[in-house]
Amino acid sequence: MSTADIRNVLRGDGDRFIYLSSALAALNGLLFGFDTGIISGAFLYINETFAMSPLVEGIVMSGAMAGAAAGAALGGKLADTLGRKRLILLGAAVFFVGSLTMAVAPTVPVLVAGRLIDGVAIGFASIVGPLYISEIAPPRIRGSLTSLNQLMVTVGILVSYFVNFAFADAGAWRWMLGTGMIPAVVLAIGMLKMPESPRWLFEHGREDEAAAVLQRTRQGDIDEELAEIQETVEKQSGTGIRELLKPWLRPALVVGLGLAVFQQITGINAVMYYAPTVLESTGFGDVTSILATVGIGAINVAATVVAIALIDRVGRRRLLLTGIGGMIVTLIALGAVFYLPGFGDMQGILATGSLMLFVAFFAIGLGPVFWLLISEIYPLAVRGGAMGLVTVANWGANLLVSLTFPMLTANVGKPSTFWLFGVFSLAALLFSYRYVPETKGRSLEAIESELRENIGTTAETAD
């Protein structure tokens, strides 16, 4: 791309500008993914520096989840008051500080503090990335663009695995954790020239600026979309987060909270955080275990690319049900690998293959669909706060799983732990079949209008 082309994109050239701004906002997902993956490899060597019990291991690992829950609780309100763009910049700064703190931590408490700070930034990022993209993208490509955030989560995980592998021979866990400062700087610099969300601008009385952003990001007439936004804002005058408890929005709250919890208690981040440790228990060495997780990360990215290609064609609901069904089968297989005797040297290979398939099915369904749906199904006036509430539930469940996984595997064993995740996955499948709507191809305003009419809140409205 020439310098002139870049200037044209920055000035606004329809889809090209949309793709650029969405890609930069999706770097929030990269921070999210990088933190998820980097600690999994670093943890093998942190144990060599600090002696830790299973409980302390769980506290160190789950520190970021506690911070993320706090960040999500604050982030929803901040997204509605400061704006989406400013919160992205704030999150990048906080992530930089957290990564630096972990890299220089002289003791376990300081390491946990760094994890907490990092987590606050991740809580911000997990809300504001998909929120910003969903509000700036046109309906026809909103699903695939919002799912860029989830793609960048997987890319962040894969990059972190490569970083872990690069420093594995030296056991340099401080360099692993400190590398997180780099994507934080890239995100902050990239977002400086990006516009604010047009829907947030309109809601805050900056109609001319909102119209200007839409003009830059749409190829055709924007009058109809502006009229829809205006009508929605007028309907919501004086509403607040308590609106979520009203009968017309209660189904959306149930869907968001249900998927938030199921996304975590089905085991994805236990796998991501502890994959090297799990594989090491099969007889793999430290470096081999980390190298195997690189393969898992690559499968995660590839499957997410497939999901992005399909999500606006096949629909959210079908991908979700297919992905969860595959997760159930692979969790049963993973438990069997650790339960049945006689695998010998093949155990590590079979465990790696099962983990790859589990991650692949998550990446085409529950991974991207959850974050996309919660950016679509809530009204503009409470969207940031609602996403904050749902994301707090997501990180709370993540915290619970991350904290208890070492103790579960130590007390009931790996087979029972993975089969327990399989039971939760079956419950997620039944819940999704009953309650999750289809939102493919609808504007955010149309989705809200249908909710007000009690349409589109159950599976009967699916395409």
Side-chain angles (χ1 to χ4, degrees):
M1 181 180 288
S2 68
T3 304
D5 287 336
I6 294 172
R7 283 198 298 266
N8 288 335
V9 169
L10 291 174
R11 284 198 297 268
D13 185 13
D15 284 353
R16 286 194 297 173
F17 182 75
I18 280 289
Y19 292 133
L20 176 64
S21 56
S22 297
L24 286 171
L27 288 176
N28 284 279
L30 189 141
L31 297 185
F32 183 166
F34 189 89
D35 179 80
T36 298
I38 202 70
I39 191 64
S40 67
F43 209 70
L44 293 173
Y45 305 103
I46 292 173
N47 274 316
E48 297 174 1
T49 304
F50 305 119
M52 295 182 289
S53 67
L55 176 60
V56 175
E57 287 180 4
I59 291 172
V60 171
M61 187 67 76
S62 61
M65 282 84 261
L74 292 171
K77 183 64 175 175
L78 290 174
D80 285 336
T81 53
L82 294 179
R84 299 12 174 170
K85 177 180 175 178
R86 289 176 184 170
L87 184 56
I88 290 174
L89 295 173
L90 176 61
V94 175
F95 192 87
F96 183 95
V97 172
S99 297
L100 178 61
T101 302
M102 289 189 296
V104 301
T107 63
V108 171
V110 176
L111 180 63
V112 172
R115 292 282 290 158
L116 284 167
I117 295 169
D118 234 22
V120 171
I122 297 305
F124 290 167
S126 60
I127 293 174
V128 76
L131 175 59
Y132 177 90
I133 299 170
S134 72
E135 291 188 344
I136 202 170
R140 61 187 170 83
I141 52 174
R142 188 181 64 242
S144 56
L145 287 182
T146 304
S147 296
L148 278 176
N149 191 77
Q150 182 63 23
L151 175 62
M152 293 307 292
V153 172
T154 65
V155 170
I157 293 171
L158 180 58
V159 169
S160 71
Y161 288 163
F162 277 116
V163 171
N164 285 338
F165 183 69
F167 291 110
D169 282 334
W173 63 267
R174 295 184 186 277
W175 283 97
M176 294 176 185
L177 298 178
T179 307
M181 292 183 286
I182 297 173
V185 171
V186 172
L187 173 61
I189 293 174
M191 282 303 298
L192 285 175
K193 288 188 176 294
M194 292 299 104
E196 180 55 84
S197 155
R199 286 168 171 81
W200 184 87
L201 289 169
F202 203 103
E203 186 187 15
H204 286 76
R206 296 159 64 176
E207 291 90 346
D208 291 342
E209 293 176 63
V213 174
L214 284 177
Q215 196 67 58
R216 295 173 71 188
T217 57
R218 302 295 186 267
Q219 292 181 331
D221 183 51
I222 64 170
D223 291 341
E224 183 178 349
E225 188 169 358
L226 278 174
E228 284 186 343
I229 296 173
Q230 182 173 9
E231 181 181 356
T232 302
V233 169
E234 289 172 353
K235 282 181 181 178
Q236 295 171 160
S237 179
T239 62
I241 195 67
R242 291 179 184 175
E243 187 83 3
L244 286 170
L245 300 178
K246 292 186 177 180
W248 75 280
L249 260 180
R250 204 172 295 150
L253 181 61
V254 169
V255 168
L257 290 174
L259 289 180
V261 173
F262 280 125
Q263 194 198 51
Q264 296 303 323
I265 64 173
T266 49
I268 183 61
N269 278 323
V271 168
M272 288 302 182
Y273 295 139
Y274 293 103
T277 305
V278 169
L279 293 175
E280 190 182 34
S281 72
T282 68
F284 282 174
D286 288 353
V287 176
T288 304
S289 297
I290 290 176
L291 183 59
T293 61
V294 172
I296 293 172
I299 291 293
N300 197 11
V301 173
T304 304
V305 171
V306 172
I308 290 174
L310 295 177
I311 204 160
D312 281 320
R313 296 166 53 196
V314 174
R316 288 69 158 138
R317 182 177 156 82
R318 289 180 185 175
L319 284 182
L320 180 65
L321 296 176
T322 301
I324 296 175
M327 289 167 61
I328 295 170
V329 174
T330 52
L331 284 167
I332 293 172
L334 186 58
V337 168
F338 287 99
Y339 181 77
L340 298 175
F343 287 123
D345 294 339
M346 289 294 294
Q347 188 181 46
I349 296 172
L350 292 172
T352 302
S354 298
L355 288 172
M356 284 181 172
L357 288 173
F358 170 74
V359 168
F361 280 114
F362 176 86
I364 67 168
L366 198 49
V369 172
F370 163 66
W371 294 109
L372 174 57
L373 278 175
I374 67 169
S375 71
E376 294 179 324
I377 61 177
Y378 297 114
L380 176 61
V382 296
R383 191 170 294 144
M387 288 183 66
L389 177 63
V390 170
T391 306
V392 167
N394 183 261
W395 283 110
N398 191 340
L399 170 63
L400 177 65
V401 172
S402 302
L403 185 61
T404 59
F405 185 78
M407 291 178 283
L408 277 173
T409 54
N411 289 290
V412 304
K414 293 182 181 70
S416 296
T417 300
F418 289 123
W419 288 336
L420 177 62
F421 291 151
V423 171
F424 290 145
S425 296
L426 178 60
L429 183 67
L430 297 174
F431 174 87
S432 299
Y433 182 81
R434 175 67 181 86
Y435 294 108
V436 173
E438 183 58 79
T439 56
K440 178 183 69 172
R442 301 170 182 171
S443 71
L444 299 178
E445 289 70 35
I447 294 170
E448 177 176 344
S449 178
E450 290 174 352
L451 280 171
R452 288 183 181 275
E453 297 168 7
N454 201 27
I455 299 174
T457 59
T458 65
E460 284 74 20
T461 63
D463 287 350

